[in-house]
Amino acid sequence: MPPAGREKDMETIKVYLDNMFLNIPDTAQTRRVKADLYDMMEDKYYELLKEGKPENEAVGIVISEFGNLEELREELGLNGETGGSEGSEAFSFREKIRMVTLEETEDYRHDMNRAAGLLGLGVFCCILSIGMITGLAGFGMPGLTLGICLFFLLVAVGVGMIIIASGKFRQYSDLKKEVFALEAGLEEYLRDEKQAFRPVFGGMIALGVVLCVISFVPLTALALLNAPDVLILLGAGLLFVLVAAGVFLFIVAGLRMGTFQVLLQEGDYSRRAKMDGPAETAYWSAVTVIYLVWSFLSGSWGISWIIWVLAGVFHEPAVRFLKNSGWIKGEG
């Protein structure tokens, strides 16, 4: 029985082959040619593995070599019968697999780590801005005035950082959408780097959880001790500071780990997931709309950020539902 990774690769090749034949009439002859082509692709895949090619690279080479239906026109007996732009487009369909180099991966990781820090700080500032108003409100009108000024300043700085980070993410959006292959030896290097980062990732997530959990401790303790209102408001402000720090760690750790998933084409960025990309787009677009509508209508910017946490938790089942429901069509 082949390893799970190779089974996944063959499933990727099968899905790719299905997309190649998407606009071709389903006849006995077409099915025969499709089956023969799959056998050739499978043989080529295992031949490349025997030559020492990494699994990721082998899939890319197979798809690159066999991703052209032009020479099958005569054998399929469809020459001149398709007519129109749709038929011409179907037969000129060819997927050129991009080969990603070590230099490109290092540039991507460097830029994404910086963007992760900027996005984390941007969200940190936005959450912290609520804490400033809350914590300083107990000092009367001067404190409230200062809190409002800090609120707008922090929101402006935070939104600016988020916009800059978003620009970096868009710059490399093709890596998240396109199927590509890694140059020889690069997959093993990235897996080693990912393994080395795992303890750091685990530590950042654990510390983030601790900060979010203990954020309620000062406020709860002050309330139980019947402390003055000024101290309770300071405790509430401290709650937002600790939550902001925890969310910062979640974002940075998650995005840094995400760079490895993008480059190794794993999880949400697997070759199969890229072929079903519209469901991902629809899901995150819906989450963004819900976040903005809720925040603007209720004015609850201090708690509406929890939508992003819930979106991450329910991401996988929700996207799977969209893919299987038939509401969202994958790109062929």
Coordinates of all heavy atoms in Angstrom, one line a residue, residues 8-89:
K8 N -2.2 10.9 -1.7 CA -2.7 12.3 -1.9 C -2.2 12.9 -3.2 O -2.9 13.6 -3.9 CB -2.2 13.1 -0.7 CG -2.8 14.5 -0.7 CD -2.2 15.4 0.4 CE -2.4 14.8 1.8 NZ -1.9 15.7 2.8
D9 N -0.9 12.6 -3.6 CA -0.4 13.1 -4.8 C -1.2 12.5 -6.0 O -1.5 13.2 -7.0 CB 1.1 12.8 -4.9 CG 1.9 13.6 -4.0 OD1 1.5 14.7 -3.6 OD2 3.1 13.2 -3.7
M10 N -1.5 11.2 -6.0 CA -2.2 10.6 -7.1 C -3.6 11.2 -7.2 O -4.2 11.3 -8.2 CB -2.2 9.1 -6.9 CG -0.9 8.4 -7.1 SD 0.1 9.0 -8.5 CE -1.0 8.6 -9.9
E11 N -4.2 11.5 -6.0 CA -5.5 12.1 -6.0 C -5.5 13.5 -6.6 O -6.4 13.9 -7.4 CB -6.1 12.2 -4.6 CG -7.4 12.9 -4.4 CD -8.6 12.2 -5.1 OE1 -8.4 10.9 -5.4 OE2 -9.6 12.8 -5.4
T12 N -4.4 14.2 -6.4 CA -4.2 15.5 -7.0 C -4.1 15.4 -8.5 O -4.7 16.2 -9.2 CB -2.9 16.2 -6.4 OG1 -3.0 16.4 -5.0 CG2 -2.6 17.5 -7.1
I13 N -3.3 14.4 -9.0 CA -3.2 14.2 -10.4 C -4.5 13.8 -11.0 O -4.9 14.3 -12.1 CB -2.1 13.1 -10.7 CG1 -0.7 13.6 -10.3 CG2 -2.2 12.6 -12.1 CD1 0.3 12.6 -10.4
K14 N -5.3 13.0 -10.3 CA -6.6 12.6 -10.8 C -7.6 13.8 -10.9 O -8.3 14.0 -11.9 CB -7.3 11.5 -9.9 CG -8.6 11.0 -10.4 CD -9.1 9.9 -9.5 CE -10.5 9.4 -10.0 NZ -11.5 10.4 -10.1
V15 N -7.6 14.6 -9.9 CA -8.4 15.8 -9.9 C -8.0 16.8 -11.1 O -8.8 17.3 -11.8 CB -8.4 16.6 -8.6 CG1 -9.1 17.9 -8.7 CG2 -9.0 15.7 -7.5
Y16 N -6.7 16.9 -11.3 CA -6.2 17.7 -12.3 C -6.6 17.2 -13.7 O -7.0 17.9 -14.6 CB -4.7 17.8 -12.2 CG -4.0 18.7 -13.3 CD1 -3.9 20.1 -13.0 CD2 -3.6 18.3 -14.5 CE1 -3.4 20.9 -13.9 CE2 -3.0 19.1 -15.4 CZ -2.9 20.4 -15.1 OH -2.4 21.3 -16.0
L17 N -6.5 15.9 -13.8 CA -7.0 15.2 -15.1 C -8.4 15.4 -15.3 O -8.9 15.7 -16.5 CB -6.6 13.7 -15.0 CG -6.6 13.0 -16.3 CD1 -5.7 13.6 -17.4 CD2 -6.3 11.5 -16.1
D18 N -9.2 15.3 -14.3 CA -10.7 15.6 -14.4 C -10.9 17.0 -14.9 O -11.8 17.2 -15.8 CB -11.4 15.4 -13.1 CG -11.5 13.9 -12.7 OD1 -11.3 13.1 -13.5 OD2 -11.6 13.7 -11.5
N19 N -10.2 18.0 -14.4 CA -10.3 19.4 -14.9 C -9.9 19.5 -16.3 O -10.5 20.3 -17.1 CB -9.5 20.3 -14.0 CG -10.2 20.5 -12.6 OD1 -11.4 20.3 -12.4 ND2 -9.3 20.8 -11.6
M20 N -8.9 18.8 -16.7 CA -8.5 18.9 -18.1 C -9.6 18.4 -19.1 O -9.7 19.0 -20.2 CB -7.2 18.0 -18.3 CG -5.9 18.5 -17.8 SD -4.6 17.3 -17.9 CE -4.5 17.1 -19.7
F21 N -10.3 17.4 -18.7 CA -11.3 16.9 -19.6 C -12.7 17.4 -19.3 O -13.7 16.9 -19.8 CB -11.4 15.3 -19.4 CG -10.3 14.6 -20.1 CD1 -9.0 14.5 -19.6 CD2 -10.6 14.0 -21.3 CE1 -8.0 13.8 -20.3 CE2 -9.6 13.3 -22.0 CZ -8.3 13.2 -21.5
L22 N -12.8 18.5 -18.5 CA -14.0 19.1 -18.1 C -15.0 19.5 -19.2 O -16.2 19.2 -19.2 CB -13.8 20.3 -17.1 CG -15.0 20.8 -16.3 CD1 -15.5 19.7 -15.4 CD2 -14.6 22.0 -15.6
N23 N -14.4 20.1 -20.3 CA -15.2 20.6 -21.4 C -15.2 19.7 -22.6 O -15.6 20.1 -23.7 CB -14.7 22.0 -21.8 CG -14.9 23.0 -20.7 OD1 -15.9 23.0 -20.0 ND2 -13.9 23.9 -20.5
I24 N -14.8 18.4 -22.4 CA -14.8 17.5 -23.5 C -16.0 16.5 -23.4 O -16.2 16.0 -22.3 CB -13.5 16.7 -23.5 CG1 -12.3 17.7 -23.8 CG2 -13.5 15.7 -24.6 CD1 -11.0 17.1 -23.8
P25 N -16.7 16.2 -24.5 CA -17.8 15.3 -24.4 C -17.4 14.0 -23.8 O -16.4 13.4 -24.1 CB -18.2 15.1 -25.9 CG -17.8 16.4 -26.5 CD -16.5 16.8 -25.8
D26 N -18.3 13.5 -22.9 CA -18.0 12.2 -22.2 C -18.4 11.0 -23.0 O -19.6 10.6 -23.0 CB -18.8 12.2 -20.8 CG -18.4 11.0 -20.0 OD1 -17.4 10.4 -20.3 OD2 -19.2 10.6 -19.1
T27 N -17.5 10.5 -23.8 CA -17.8 9.3 -24.6 C -16.9 8.1 -24.2 O -15.9 8.3 -23.4 CB -17.5 9.6 -26.1 OG1 -16.1 9.9 -26.2 CG2 -18.3 10.8 -26.5
A28 N -17.1 7.0 -24.7 CA -16.3 5.8 -24.4 C -14.9 6.0 -24.8 O -13.9 5.6 -24.1 CB -16.9 4.5 -25.0
Q29 N -14.7 6.6 -25.9 CA -13.4 6.9 -26.4 C -12.6 7.9 -25.5 O -11.4 7.7 -25.2 CB -13.4 7.4 -27.9 CG -12.1 7.6 -28.5 CD -12.2 8.1 -29.9 OE1 -13.2 8.7 -30.3 NE2 -11.1 8.0 -30.7
T30 N -13.3 8.9 -25.1 CA -12.7 9.9 -24.2 C -12.3 9.3 -22.9 O -11.2 9.5 -22.4 CB -13.7 11.1 -23.9 OG1 -14.1 11.7 -25.2 CG2 -13.1 12.1 -23.0
R31 N -13.2 8.4 -22.4 CA -12.9 7.7 -21.1 C -11.7 6.8 -21.2 O -10.9 6.7 -20.3 CB -14.1 7.0 -20.6 CG -15.2 7.8 -20.1 CD -16.3 7.0 -19.3 NE -17.0 6.2 -20.2 CZ -18.1 6.5 -20.9 NH1 -18.6 7.7 -20.7 NH2 -18.8 5.7 -21.7
R32 N -11.6 6.2 -22.4 CA -10.4 5.3 -22.6 C -9.1 6.1 -22.7 O -8.1 5.7 -22.0 CB -10.6 4.5 -23.9 CG -9.4 3.6 -24.3 CD -9.6 2.9 -25.6 NE -9.8 3.9 -26.7 CZ -8.8 4.5 -27.3 NH1 -7.5 4.3 -26.9 NH2 -9.0 5.4 -28.3
V33 N -9.1 7.2 -23.4 CA -7.9 8.1 -23.5 C -7.6 8.6 -22.1 O -6.4 8.7 -21.7 CB -8.2 9.2 -24.5 CG1 -7.0 10.2 -24.5 CG2 -8.4 8.6 -25.9
K34 N -8.6 9.0 -21.4 CA -8.4 9.6 -20.1 C -7.7 8.5 -19.1 O -6.8 8.9 -18.4 CB -9.7 10.1 -19.5 CG -9.6 10.8 -18.1 CD -11.0 11.2 -17.7 CE -10.9 11.9 -16.3 NZ -12.3 12.3 -15.9
A35 N -8.2 7.3 -19.2 CA -7.7 6.2 -18.4 C -6.2 5.9 -18.7 O -5.4 5.8 -17.9 CB -8.5 5.0 -18.5
D36 N -6.0 5.9 -20.1 CA -4.6 5.7 -20.5 C -3.7 6.8 -20.1 O -2.5 6.5 -19.7 CB -4.6 5.6 -22.1 CG -5.2 4.3 -22.6 OD1 -5.5 3.4 -21.7 OD2 -5.6 4.2 -23.8
L37 N -4.2 8.0 -20.2 CA -3.3 9.2 -19.8 C -3.0 9.1 -18.3 O -1.9 9.4 -17.8 CB -4.1 10.5 -20.1 CG -3.3 11.8 -19.9 CD1 -2.0 11.7 -20.7 CD2 -4.1 13.0 -20.4
Y38 N -4.0 8.7 -17.5 CA -3.8 8.6 -16.0 C -2.7 7.6 -15.7 O -1.9 7.8 -14.9 CB -5.1 8.3 -15.3 CG -5.0 8.1 -13.8 CD1 -4.9 9.2 -13.0 CD2 -4.9 6.8 -13.3 CE1 -4.7 9.0 -11.6 CE2 -4.7 6.6 -11.9 CZ -4.6 7.7 -11.1 OH -4.5 7.6 -9.7
D39 N -2.8 6.4 -16.4 CA -1.8 5.4 -16.2 C -0.4 5.9 -16.6 O 0.6 5.6 -15.8 CB -2.1 4.2 -17.1 CG -3.4 3.4 -16.6 OD1 -3.7 3.6 -15.4 OD2 -4.0 2.7 -17.4
M40 N -0.3 6.6 -17.7 CA 1.0 7.2 -18.0 C 1.5 8.2 -17.0 O 2.7 8.2 -16.7 CB 0.9 7.8 -19.4 CG 0.8 6.9 -20.6 SD 0.9 7.7 -22.2 CE -0.6 8.6 -22.3
M41 N 0.6 9.0 -16.5 CA 1.0 10.0 -15.5 C 1.4 9.3 -14.2 O 2.4 9.7 -13.5 CB -0.2 10.9 -15.2 CG -0.5 11.8 -16.4 SD -2.0 12.8 -16.1 CE -1.4 14.2 -15.2
E42 N 0.7 8.2 -13.8 CA 1.1 7.5 -12.6 C 2.5 6.8 -12.8 O 3.3 6.9 -11.9 CB 0.0 6.4 -12.3 CG 0.3 5.6 -11.1 CD -0.8 4.6 -10.8 OE1 -1.5 4.2 -11.7 OE2 -1.0 4.3 -9.6
D43 N 2.7 6.2 -14.0 CA 4.0 5.6 -14.2 C 5.1 6.6 -14.2 O 6.2 6.4 -13.6 CB 4.0 4.9 -15.6 CG 3.1 3.7 -15.6 OD1 2.8 3.2 -14.6 OD2 2.7 3.3 -16.8
K44 N 4.9 7.8 -14.8 CA 5.9 8.9 -14.7 C 6.1 9.3 -13.3 O 7.3 9.6 -13.0 CB 5.4 10.0 -15.6 CG 6.4 11.2 -15.7 CD 7.7 10.8 -16.4 CE 8.6 11.9 -16.6 NZ 9.9 11.6 -17.3
Y45 N 5.1 9.4 -12.5 CA 5.2 9.9 -11.1 C 6.2 9.0 -10.4 O 7.1 9.4 -9.7 CB 3.9 10.0 -10.5 CG 3.9 10.2 -9.0 CD1 4.2 11.5 -8.5 CD2 3.6 9.2 -8.1 CE1 4.2 11.7 -7.1 CE2 3.6 9.4 -6.7 CZ 3.9 10.7 -6.2 OH 3.9 10.9 -4.9
Y46 N 5.9 7.7 -10.4 CA 6.7 6.7 -9.7 C 8.1 6.6 -10.3 O 9.1 6.3 -9.5 CB 6.0 5.3 -9.6 CG 4.9 5.3 -8.6 CD1 3.6 5.3 -9.1 CD2 5.1 5.3 -7.3 CE1 2.5 5.3 -8.2 CE2 4.1 5.3 -6.4 CZ 2.8 5.3 -6.8 OH 1.8 5.3 -5.9
E47 N 8.3 6.8 -11.6 CA 9.6 6.8 -12.2 C 10.4 7.9 -11.6 O 11.6 7.8 -11.3 CB 9.4 6.9 -13.7 CG 10.8 7.0 -14.5 CD 10.5 7.2 -15.9 OE1 9.5 6.8 -16.5 OE2 11.4 7.9 -16.6
L48 N 9.8 9.1 -11.5 CA 10.5 10.3 -10.9 C 10.9 10.1 -9.5 O 12.0 10.5 -9.0 CB 9.6 11.5 -11.1 CG 9.4 12.1 -12.5 CD1 8.3 13.1 -12.5 CD2 10.7 12.7 -13.0
L49 N 10.0 9.4 -8.7 CA 10.4 9.1 -7.3 C 11.6 8.2 -7.2 O 12.4 8.3 -6.4 CB 9.2 8.5 -6.6 CG 7.9 9.3 -6.4 CD1 6.9 8.6 -5.6 CD2 8.3 10.6 -5.6
K50 N 11.6 7.2 -8.2 CA 12.8 6.3 -8.2 C 14.1 7.0 -8.5 O 15.2 6.6 -8.1 CB 12.5 5.2 -9.2 CG 11.5 4.1 -8.7 CD 11.3 3.1 -9.8 CE 10.2 2.1 -9.4 NZ 10.0 1.0 -10.4
E51 N 13.9 8.1 -9.3 CA 15.1 8.9 -9.6 C 15.6 9.8 -8.5 O 16.6 10.5 -8.6 CB 14.8 9.8 -10.9 CG 14.6 8.9 -12.1 CD 14.2 9.8 -13.3 OE1 14.1 11.1 -13.1 OE2 13.9 9.3 -14.4
G52 N 14.8 9.8 -7.4 CA 15.1 10.6 -6.2 C 14.5 11.9 -6.2 O 14.8 12.8 -5.3
K53 N 13.5 12.2 -7.0 CA 12.7 13.5 -7.0 C 11.8 13.5 -5.8 O 11.2 12.5 -5.4 CB 11.9 13.7 -8.2 CG 12.7 13.7 -9.5 CD 13.5 15.0 -9.7 CE 14.1 15.1 -11.1 NZ 15.0 16.3 -11.2
P54 N 11.7 14.6 -5.1 CA 10.7 14.8 -4.0 C 9.3 14.6 -4.5 O 9.1 14.9 -5.7 CB 11.0 16.2 -3.4 CG 12.4 16.6 -3.9 CD 12.5 15.9 -5.2
E55 N 8.4 14.2 -3.7 CA 7.0 14.0 -4.1 C 6.4 15.3 -4.7 O 5.7 15.2 -5.7 CB 6.2 13.5 -2.9 CG 6.6 12.1 -2.4 CD 5.8 11.7 -1.2 OE1 5.0 12.4 -0.7 OE2 6.1 10.5 -0.7
N56 N 6.6 16.4 -4.0 CA 6.1 17.7 -4.5 C 6.5 18.0 -5.9 O 5.8 18.3 -6.8 CB 6.5 18.8 -3.5 CG 5.8 20.1 -3.7 OD1 5.6 20.5 -4.8 ND2 5.3 20.7 -2.7
E57 N 7.9 17.8 -6.1 CA 8.4 18.2 -7.4 C 8.0 17.2 -8.5 O 7.7 17.6 -9.6 CB 10.0 18.2 -7.3 CG 10.7 18.6 -8.6 CD 12.2 18.6 -8.4 OE1 12.7 18.6 -7.3 OE2 12.9 18.6 -9.4
A58 N 7.8 15.9 -8.1 CA 7.4 14.9 -9.0 C 6.0 15.2 -9.6 O 5.8 15.1 -10.8 CB 7.4 13.5 -8.4
V59 N 5.1 15.6 -8.7 CA 3.8 16.0 -9.2 C 3.8 17.1 -10.1 O 3.1 17.1 -11.2 CB 2.9 16.3 -8.0 CG1 1.5 16.9 -8.4 CG2 2.6 15.1 -7.1
G60 N 4.6 18.1 -9.8 CA 4.7 19.3 -10.7 C 5.2 18.9 -12.1 O 4.7 19.4 -13.1
I61 N 6.2 18.1 -12.1 CA 6.8 17.7 -13.4 C 5.8 16.9 -14.2 O 5.6 17.1 -15.4 CB 8.1 16.8 -13.2 CG1 9.2 17.7 -12.6 CG2 8.5 16.2 -14.5 CD1 10.4 16.9 -12.2
V62 N 5.0 16.0 -13.6 CA 4.0 15.2 -14.2 C 3.0 16.0 -14.9 O 2.6 15.9 -16.0 CB 3.4 14.1 -13.3 CG1 2.2 13.5 -13.9 CG2 4.4 13.0 -12.9
I63 N 2.4 17.0 -14.1 CA 1.4 17.8 -14.6 C 1.9 18.7 -15.7 O 1.2 19.0 -16.7 CB 0.8 18.7 -13.4 CG1 0.1 17.8 -12.4 CG2 -0.2 19.7 -13.9 CD1 -0.5 18.5 -11.2
S64 N 3.1 19.2 -15.6 CA 3.7 20.0 -16.6 C 3.9 19.3 -17.9 O 3.6 19.8 -19.0 CB 5.1 20.6 -16.1 OG 5.7 21.4 -17.1
E65 N 4.3 18.0 -17.9 CA 4.6 17.3 -19.1 C 3.3 16.8 -19.7 O 3.2 16.7 -21.0 CB 5.5 16.1 -18.7 CG 6.9 16.4 -18.4 CD 7.8 15.2 -18.3 OE1 7.3 14.1 -18.6 OE2 9.0 15.4 -18.0
F66 N 2.3 16.4 -18.9 CA 1.1 15.8 -19.5 C -0.1 16.8 -19.5 O -1.2 16.4 -19.9 CB 0.7 14.6 -18.7 CG 1.6 13.5 -18.9 CD1 2.7 13.3 -18.0 CD2 1.4 12.5 -19.9 CE1 3.6 12.2 -18.1 CE2 2.3 11.5 -20.0 CZ 3.4 11.3 -19.2
G67 N 0.1 18.1 -19.1 CA -1.0 19.0 -19.0 C -1.4 19.7 -20.3 O -1.7 20.9 -20.3
N68 N -1.3 18.9 -21.4 CA -1.6 19.5 -22.7 C -2.5 18.6 -23.5 O -2.1 17.4 -23.8 CB -0.3 19.8 -23.5 CG -0.6 20.6 -24.8 OD1 -1.7 21.0 -25.0 ND2 0.4 20.6 -25.6
L69 N -3.7 19.0 -23.9 CA -4.6 18.1 -24.7 C -4.5 18.4 -26.2 O -5.3 17.8 -27.0 CB -6.1 18.4 -24.2 CG -6.4 17.9 -22.8 CD1 -7.8 18.2 -22.5 CD2 -6.2 16.4 -22.7
E70 N -3.6 19.3 -26.6 CA -3.6 19.7 -28.0 C -3.3 18.4 -28.9 O -4.0 18.3 -29.9 CB -2.5 20.7 -28.2 CG -2.5 21.4 -29.6 CD -3.7 22.3 -29.7 OE1 -4.1 22.9 -28.8 OE2 -4.2 22.4 -30.9
E71 N -2.4 17.6 -28.5 CA -2.0 16.5 -29.3 C -3.1 15.4 -29.3 O -3.0 14.4 -30.1 CB -0.7 15.9 -28.9 CG -0.7 15.3 -27.5 CD -0.3 16.3 -26.5 OE1 -0.4 17.5 -26.8 OE2 0.0 15.8 -25.4
L72 N -4.1 15.5 -28.4 CA -5.1 14.4 -28.4 C -6.3 14.7 -29.3 O -7.3 14.0 -29.3 CB -5.6 14.3 -26.9 CG -4.6 13.9 -25.9 CD1 -5.2 13.8 -24.5 CD2 -4.0 12.5 -26.3
R73 N -6.3 15.8 -30.0 CA -7.5 16.2 -30.8 C -7.8 15.1 -31.8 O -9.0 14.6 -31.9 CB -7.1 17.4 -31.6 CG -7.3 18.7 -30.9 CD -7.1 19.9 -31.8 NE -7.4 21.2 -31.2 CZ -7.5 22.3 -31.8 NH1 -7.4 22.3 -33.1 NH2 -7.7 23.4 -31.2
E74 N -6.8 14.6 -32.5 CA -7.1 13.6 -33.5 C -7.6 12.3 -32.9 O -8.6 11.7 -33.3 CB -5.9 13.3 -34.4 CG -5.8 14.1 -35.6 CD -4.6 13.7 -36.5 OE1 -4.5 12.5 -36.9 OE2 -3.8 14.6 -36.8
E75 N -6.9 11.9 -31.8 CA -7.3 10.6 -31.2 C -8.7 10.7 -30.6 O -9.5 9.7 -30.6 CB -6.3 10.2 -30.1 CG -6.6 8.9 -29.5 CD -5.4 8.4 -28.6 OE1 -4.4 9.2 -28.5 OE2 -5.6 7.4 -28.0
L76 N -9.1 11.8 -30.1 CA -10.5 12.0 -29.6 C -11.5 12.2 -30.7 O -12.7 12.2 -30.4 CB -10.5 13.2 -28.6 CG -9.7 13.0 -27.3 CD1 -9.7 14.3 -26.5 CD2 -10.4 11.9 -26.4
G77 N -11.1 12.4 -31.9 CA -12.0 12.6 -33.0 C -12.8 13.9 -32.9 O -14.0 13.9 -33.3
L78 N -12.3 14.9 -32.2 CA -13.0 16.1 -32.0 C -12.4 17.3 -32.8 O -12.8 18.4 -32.6 CB -13.0 16.5 -30.5 CG -13.8 15.5 -29.6 CD1 -13.5 15.9 -28.2 CD2 -15.2 15.6 -29.9
N79 N -11.5 17.0 -33.7 CA -10.9 18.0 -34.5 C -11.9 18.7 -35.4 O -12.6 18.1 -36.2 CB -9.8 17.4 -35.4 CG -8.7 18.4 -35.7 OD1 -8.6 19.5 -35.1 ND2 -7.8 18.1 -36.6
G80 N -12.1 20.0 -35.2 CA -13.0 20.8 -36.0 C -14.5 20.7 -35.6 O -15.3 21.3 -36.2
E81 N -14.8 19.9 -34.5 CA -16.2 19.7 -34.1 C -16.5 20.6 -32.9 O -17.7 20.8 -32.7 CB -16.4 18.3 -33.7 CG -16.3 17.3 -34.8 CD -16.5 15.9 -34.3 OE1 -17.0 15.7 -33.2 OE2 -16.2 14.9 -35.1
T82 N -15.6 21.1 -32.3 CA -15.9 21.9 -31.1 C -16.4 23.3 -31.4 O -17.4 23.8 -30.9 CB -14.6 22.0 -30.2 OG1 -13.6 22.6 -30.9 CG2 -14.2 20.7 -29.6
G83 N -15.7 24.0 -32.3 CA -16.1 25.3 -32.8 C -16.2 26.3 -31.7 O -16.2 25.9 -30.5
G84 N -16.2 27.6 -32.0 CA -16.4 28.6 -31.0 C -15.2 28.7 -30.0 O -14.3 27.9 -30.0
S85 N -15.2 29.7 -29.2 CA -14.1 30.0 -28.3 C -14.0 29.0 -27.2 O -13.0 28.7 -26.7 CB -14.3 31.4 -27.7 OG -15.5 31.5 -27.0
E86 N -15.2 28.4 -26.8 CA -15.1 27.5 -25.7 C -14.3 26.2 -26.0 O -13.5 25.8 -25.3 CB -16.5 27.1 -25.3 CG -16.6 26.1 -24.1 CD -18.0 25.7 -23.7 OE1 -18.9 26.3 -24.2 OE2 -18.1 24.8 -22.9
G87 N -14.6 25.7 -27.2 CA -13.8 24.5 -27.6 C -12.4 24.8 -27.8 O -11.5 24.1 -27.4
S88 N -12.1 26.0 -28.5 CA -10.7 26.4 -28.7 C -10.0 26.5 -27.4 O -8.8 26.1 -27.2 CB -10.7 27.7 -29.5 OG -9.4 28.2 -29.6
E89 N -10.7 27.1 -26.4 CA -10.1 27.3 -25.1 C -9.8 26.0 -24.4 O -8.8 25.8 -23.7 CB -11.0 28.2 -24.2 CG -10.4 28.5 -22.9 CD -11.3 29.4 -22.1 OE1 -12.3 29.9 -22.6 OE2 -11.1 29.5 -20.8

